[in-house]
Amino acid sequence: MLTRRHAIALAAALSLASVVPAAAQSVTLRSADIHPDGYPTVEAVKYFGEVVSQKTNGRIKVQVFNSGQLGQEKDTIEQTRFGVIDLNRVNTAPFNNLIPETAVLGLPFLFRSVDHMYKVVDGPLGEEIAKAFEPHGLIVLGFFDSGARSIYNSKKPIKTLEDMKGMKIRVQQSDLFIAMINALGANATPMPFGELYSALQTGLVDGAENNYPSYESVKHYEVAKYYSLTEHSMAPEVFVMSKRSWDKLTPADQAIFKDAGKQATLKMRELWAKRDADAKAVVIKGGALINEVDKKPFIDAMKPVYDKFVTSDKMKSLVERIRATQ
């Protein structure tokens, strides 16, 4: 990982952010994503770039580096904070240790539905959480859908808590997700997403947890065919911009970026709904075995997770207000 000094030096050398506001010269901003080309998040950020380019008459362009070309999420977050990368699409989970408010969004079984999640992140609560990013050098341009995450593995269908015992389950590099999987009786194994296929293939881990499009896009169903509908998390993705890059924009360009972020969010959700249905069909055709889960015991097992992570009055208030959102 880049040290602070090296990140700042590299940012200065690249000078991407430093030239945006100065004149009408053309500049290309770099955006990172770990997902492959064609994935809804990647296509939505491309759309964002089209809107920005159109509204600035081609003065500002966006180049999307997909498939982890600029690094895994944990590394690209640091680079974005220091302005080495201008834009970044990341799951909220890797931010949990840095920005406690994001941990609330990933709490298991908190959102009743995708629509409930939209109402939360698109309203005052979403604005409140977005503001918590700014002291850490990031500006939120949109909350993308991440679908419902479920557990999949190479051994057997997960139907009860007993089935989880002793299984090695890959999780994101987040204390919250580690605690959640451990609370279910499995052994949480944090690792970068890009390393997961081989880990499943070699038996380094037994399974993982994610949504249908992620499960399908990197062909995890080939090496872990049991997909169990725990639907334990609906944590959104977040599309952020480096505050160093943002501060170099004129107020007029900032308004363009904010509007483009909203348009890209709607585009992503539209693309996501179709991709989710298509991905489910692909994995079933590819041999995935999908089963329902009695969720109540899984929900009941989450009390220690809430006790551990929802400790401050601020976080307790966020949870209560999210649950109260209709």
Side-chain angles (χ1 to χ4, degrees):
M1 183 182 296
L2 293 175
T3 65
R4 180 184 175 89
R5 183 181 63 180
H6 289 157
I8 292 172
L10 184 53
L14 290 171
S15 298
L16 281 173
S18 64
V19 298
V20 175
Q25 66 195 81
S26 176
V27 62
T28 299
L29 304 180
R30 304 194 310 159
S31 186
D33 201 314
I34 61 167
H35 290 303
D37 197 27
Y39 197 82
T41 57
V42 175
E43 295 308 304
V45 178
K46 287 182 183 178
Y47 180 73
F48 169 87
E50 291 170 9
V51 173
V52 167
S53 180
Q54 180 182 15
K55 292 191 173 185
T56 62
N57 296 315
R59 180 167 44 85
I60 304 176
K61 302 181 188 301
V62 174
Q63 183 177 4
V64 182
F65 291 84
N66 54 270
S67 304
Q69 294 177 67
L70 300 182
Q72 294 300 312
E73 289 186 339
K74 191 173 182 180
D75 298 323
T76 61
I77 287 171
E78 291 300 307
Q79 294 180 64
T80 308
R81 291 177 66 197
F82 294 123
V84 179
I85 294 172
D86 302 287
L87 297 151
N88 202 352
R89 193 291 315 158
V90 195
N91 191 276
T92 50
F95 287 109
N96 290 171
N97 296 335
L98 182 67
I99 306 168
E101 289 85 349
T102 62
V104 172
L105 296 175
L107 285 168
F109 304 104
L110 177 61
F111 294 116
R112 297 184 296 274
S113 65
V114 171
D115 285 341
H116 179 215
M117 185 269 286
Y118 287 167
K119 288 178 181 177
V120 169
V121 298
D122 291 345
L125 288 174
E127 292 179 10
E128 181 179 329
I129 294 168
K131 286 180 181 177
F133 281 74
E134 294 186 24
H136 301 282
L138 298 164
I139 301 294
V140 174
L141 295 176
F143 287 102
F144 290 177
D145 196 350
S146 187
R149 300 175 75 95
S150 290
I151 293 170
Y152 55 91
N153 77 95
S154 61
K155 302 294 183 183
K156 59 186 176 182
I158 300 296
K159 296 181 178 179
T160 68
L161 281 180
E162 185 68 26
D163 293 328
M164 293 289 297
K165 285 188 177 178
M167 297 194 80
K168 295 175 291 184
I169 303 294
R170 177 268 174 182
V171 295
Q172 301 175 76
Q173 293 162 299
S174 157
D175 290 345
L176 173 63
F177 274 71
I178 292 170
M180 176 180 66
I181 292 300
N182 287 342
L184 294 176
N187 298 319
T189 307
M191 70 171 57
F193 186 69
E195 299 175 9
L196 181 52
Y197 187 98
S198 61
L200 288 165
Q201 191 175 38
T202 61
L204 181 62
V205 296
D206 299 313
E209 51 82 47
N210 220 315
N211 51 56
Y212 277 129
S214 293
Y215 179 57
E216 178 269 328
S217 67
V218 287
K219 303 186 183 302
H220 286 171
Y221 62 91
E222 294 179 343
V223 287
K225 70 178 182 178
Y226 299 104
Y227 192 94
S228 304
L229 295 172
T230 52
E231 297 178 318
H232 50 270
S233 176
M234 296 180 188
E237 311 273 305
V238 62
F239 179 40
V240 296
M241 183 172 188
S242 169
K243 192 172 185 300
R244 290 179 180 231
S245 301
W246 173 263
D247 288 344
K248 297 294 184 179
L249 296 173
T250 65
D253 285 344
Q254 288 178 351
I256 288 172
F257 272 58
K258 280 288 189 181
D259 180 64
K262 290 178 181 178
Q263 291 191 51
T265 297
L266 294 176
K267 173 63 74 173
M268 188 275 165
R269 294 174 184 177
E270 174 189 323
L271 293 170
W272 182 265
K274 183 179 186 306
R275 180 62 182 268
D276 192 60
D278 290 348
K280 181 179 179 180
V282 169
V283 300
I284 290 174
K285 186 176 180 180
L289 302 175
I290 299 167
N291 68 278
E292 298 286 340
V293 174
D294 178 9
K295 293 180 185 177
K296 189 177 184 308
F298 287 74
I299 294 171
D300 292 343
M302 292 300 103
K303 186 180 183 305
V305 177
Y306 276 75
D307 290 344
K308 179 177 180 179
F309 290 93
V310 186
T311 53
S312 70
D313 290 341
K314 185 174 185 179
M315 292 184 72
K316 289 176 182 177
S317 173
L318 272 174
V319 169
E320 289 172 4
R321 285 180 288 154
I322 288 172
R323 285 175 170 163
T325 299
Q326 299 298 321

